[in-house]
């Protein structure tokens, strides 16, 4: 569900967040908004420090760049198991649908190398949240 908040005058975009760890972080870390851990609430990614934003992709112009950013993650950190192990982003129906319909994409999985990999493409602007890093026009 994407919320539009046009009063800000900001065009729709995604903020890209990335976090890797040795294991899935405990909920206590995920509730700590000063932490770079993937938060429990999707909208709370936007409350993290602006320098945790790895990239910002404008919608719809940068949709392919957003997809490529996710693909890089799979190339670098193939999954240990599950659908990510055999499929590329283009075949991940759910991810593609999220991208095509301007929704959030949130991944959390264990890589073949034993890392916990978390990635978020978080739709912005959204109600109740401040844009952490407005895209350049
Ligand atoms: Zn934003």
């Amino acid at each position: 569900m994407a919320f539009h908040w046009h009063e800000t005058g900001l065009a729709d975009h995604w903020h890209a967040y990335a976090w890797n760890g040795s294991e899935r972080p405990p909920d206590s870390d995920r509730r700590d908004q000063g932490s770079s851990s993937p938060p429990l609430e999707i909208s709370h990614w936007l409350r993290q420090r602006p320098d945790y934003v790895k990239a910002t992709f404008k919608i719809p112009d940068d949709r392919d760049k957003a997809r490529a950013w996710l693909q890089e993650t799979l190339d670098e950190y193939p999954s240990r198991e599950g659908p990510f192990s055999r499929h590329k982003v283009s075949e991940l129906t759910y991810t593609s649908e999220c991208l095509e319909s301007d929704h959030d994409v949130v991944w959390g999985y264990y890589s073949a190398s034993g890392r916990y990999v978390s990635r978020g493409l978080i739709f912005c602007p959204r109600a109740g949240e401040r844009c952490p890093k407005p895209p350049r026009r």
Side-chain angles (χ1 to χ4, degrees), residues 10-15 17 46 53 56 122-126 129-135:
L10 284 173
D12 293 349
H13 54 277
W14 284 293
H15 293 295
Y17 292 88
L46 300 177
V53 175
T56 296
I122 311 302
F123 185 90
C124 182
R126 62 204 295 153
E129 302 295 337
R130 182 192 297 264
C131 176
K133 203 169 188 176

Side-chain angles (χ1 to χ4, degrees), residues 2-40:
F3 293 94
H4 294 261
W5 196 249
H6 291 294
E7 285 172 38
T8 62
L10 284 173
D12 293 349
H13 54 277
W14 284 293
H15 293 295
Y17 292 88
W19 187 90
N20 293 343
S22 56
E23 61 184 11
R24 192 171 195 269
D27 284 356
S28 56
D29 281 10
R30 302 182 71 188
R31 279 192 207 96
D32 176 3
Q33 288 175 16
S35 159
S36 64
S37 302
L40 294 171

